[in-house]
Amino acid sequence: MSDTPPTPEPTQSPVEPLYTHPASPFLRTESGFPSSVAPPGPPSRPLQSTWITYRNQIEMALAMLAYLIFLVGSVTVLQANPDAPWRYAVAVLPVAPAAIVVLLFVRRLARLDELQRRIQTQAFGFSLGTTALLTFAYGFLEGVGLPHLNWTFVLPLMAILWAVGAAIFTIRYR
Amino acid sequence: MKNRLRVLRAELDWSQADLAERLGVSRQTVNAIETGKYDPSLPLAFSLARTFNRSIEEIFEAEGSRSRVTT
């Protein structure tokens, strides 16, 4: 007889994976279920750079910044040269970065999912309707003596009401 | 429309964000479908069915459908 315990026959003992030993340095990395039955686990979310996560917001912010820079620059140049023959070209220059803002906005809309699109459609409808009501109402009031307002106020008003509408309809689907 | 989305999701231990990522929609959309505030489009319903490996009828149930549908 020998002191060493008898080693079991390879055919009798089940194959023990390395990670089942308590002192094993190996980590179990695969699911215990057979792969055909096991449900796929939650998708892993790798760390993403700020650029990937906030790309849309960064692009939009840069375009708006460009618009502001062009606007201030254009106004400054025009005040210094009120009678220059090229004043028309300089005056419409801020439209270029504004067009980029519009382009980014349209692209953003195209990438929304179906519920977000519905919310945006409702928000635009709300914005259009309430702007129409408010501008008509003020138009009637102007007729009886209230001061005349510049029509460029209409777009900011519409944007604010769109944001209000988006908030209302987002909460409704929460 | 009633649905079993929350139960099916819990069975797989997925968060709303996990499911949203698989479907390619926002987490808000998954939540709105789960709470019955929004009925998904047919393509999204099919994606859901494929994701959970079930038929659409096993996930969604139209209100009053049992009394109306007689086959």
Side-chain angles (χ1 to χ4, degrees):
Chain A
M1 276 188 70
S2 67
D3 288 336
T4 52
T7 50
E9 296 271 323
T11 47
Q12 288 173 346
S13 65
V15 178
E16 269 188 285
L18 286 169
Y19 52 74
T20 53
H21 293 281
S24 167
F26 296 97
L27 291 173
R28 182 177 189 146
T29 54
E30 58 189 355
S31 167
F33 294 100
S35 59
S36 57
V37 180
S44 60
R45 257 185 290 280
L47 286 171
Q48 289 184 327
S49 73
T50 312
W51 170 246
I52 293 171
T53 313
Y54 296 107
R55 187 181 167 170
N56 289 321
Q57 287 87 338
I58 293 170
E59 284 176 342
M60 189 65 100
L62 286 176
M64 283 185 167
L65 189 68
Y67 170 71
L68 281 178
I69 290 169
F70 272 61
L71 188 69
V72 171
S74 160
V75 169
T76 311
V77 169
L78 287 174
Q79 278 176 348
N81 309 276
D83 299 317
W86 38 260
R87 62 183 185 277
Y88 299 107
V90 173
V92 295
L93 217 55
V95 173
I100 296 175
V101 173
V102 173
L103 209 72
L104 291 174
F105 189 72
V106 170
R107 195 184 69 181
R108 187 90 188 271
L109 279 182
R111 288 176 181 174
L112 292 178
D113 74 30
E114 52 185 63
L115 174 62
Q116 291 169 327
R117 268 188 212 170
R118 173 181 285 203
I119 290 171
Q120 289 306 322
T121 308
Q122 290 171 328
F124 284 134
F126 172 82
S127 162
L128 186 69
T130 44
T131 304
L133 284 177
L134 288 173
T135 50
F136 266 69
Y138 195 79
F140 296 144
L141 292 172
E142 266 188 13
V144 289
L146 280 192
H148 176 70
L149 285 182
N150 195 323
W151 63 267
T152 50
F153 282 113
V154 174
L155 189 61
L157 174 70
M158 220 168 171
I160 291 167
L161 289 169
W162 163 67
V164 170
I168 291 171
F169 293 109
T170 301
I171 291 168
R172 184 176 280 189
Y173 285 108
R174 190 158 282 174
Chain B
M1 194 179 273
K2 284 183 192 167
N3 66 76
R4 300 182 54 233
L5 223 54
R6 198 178 287 271
V7 177
L8 293 170
R9 196 166 56 72
E11 279 175 7
L12 296 177
D13 200 23
W14 286 356
S15 66
Q16 287 185 342
D18 293 330
L19 179 58
E21 200 173 323
R22 279 168 187 277
L23 296 169
V25 299
S26 62
R27 196 199 58 78
Q28 182 198 9
T29 301
V30 169
N31 184 56
I33 295 170
E34 266 187 22
T35 51
K37 289 180 180 167
Y38 174 69
D39 294 335
S41 68
L42 208 47
L44 183 53
F46 271 109
S47 300
L48 271 166
R50 262 199 308 276
T51 305
F52 288 115
N53 213 7
R54 282 163 198 265
S55 66
I56 288 180
E57 291 87 342
E58 285 177 281
I59 302 175
F60 294 98
E61 186 197 318
E63 269 120 59
S65 65
R66 279 192 187 146
S67 56
R68 260 187 279 140
V69 178
T70 48
T71 44

